[in-house]
Amino acid sequence: MSGSGDKVVGTTKTPADFLKSIRGRPVVVKLNSGVDYRGILACLDGYMNIAMEQTEEYVNGQLKNKYGDAFIRGNNVLYISTVKGPLADGA
């Protein structure tokens, strides 16, 4: 018996596919604590441990610190989002 899932085969994209496609691109990583880290996604593993480059730390929407490289433990991550525009506006 054929199910309705047959119609979307080939167009289904998994979260792993998304994460592979954004490596090397600007991202925002939101932590459970509410702190945001913005930078270039260098790599990540199956536990969602994240390595970032050109990282900026934002607390309550305000820039608090800049790091060359940052490593974030996966169990602290709430979500990862891509950035639409450049990281630094007119800097």
Side-chain angles (χ1 to χ4, degrees):
M1 182 184 272
S2 178
S4 63
D6 294 342
K7 295 177 186 175
V8 293
V9 174
T11 60
T12 304
K13 192 170 185 181
T14 67
D17 293 334
F18 167 73
L19 293 171
K20 287 177 190 174
S21 72
I22 63 170
R23 278 192 208 149
R25 294 180 53 200
V27 296
V28 175
V29 178
K30 178 90 163 186
L31 302 187
N32 295 327
S33 66
V35 176
D36 289 349
Y37 288 92
R38 300 176 189 188
I40 307 299
L41 181 65
C43 62
L44 58 103
D45 65 12
Y47 296 101
M48 293 292 289
N49 295 317
I50 298 169
M52 296 175 69
E53 300 170 341
Q54 303 171 26
T55 310
E56 298 175 338
E57 178 183 41
Y58 288 83
V59 178
N60 297 324
Q62 292 192 339
L63 179 63
K64 290 295 181 184
N65 213 336
K66 291 186 179 186
Y67 306 101
D69 295 328
F71 301 93
I72 301 171
R73 187 173 168 166
N75 67 335
N76 294 314
V77 176
L78 184 62
Y79 67 77
I80 301 173
S81 175
T82 56
V83 175
K84 299 283 185 206
L87 281 179
D89 295 339

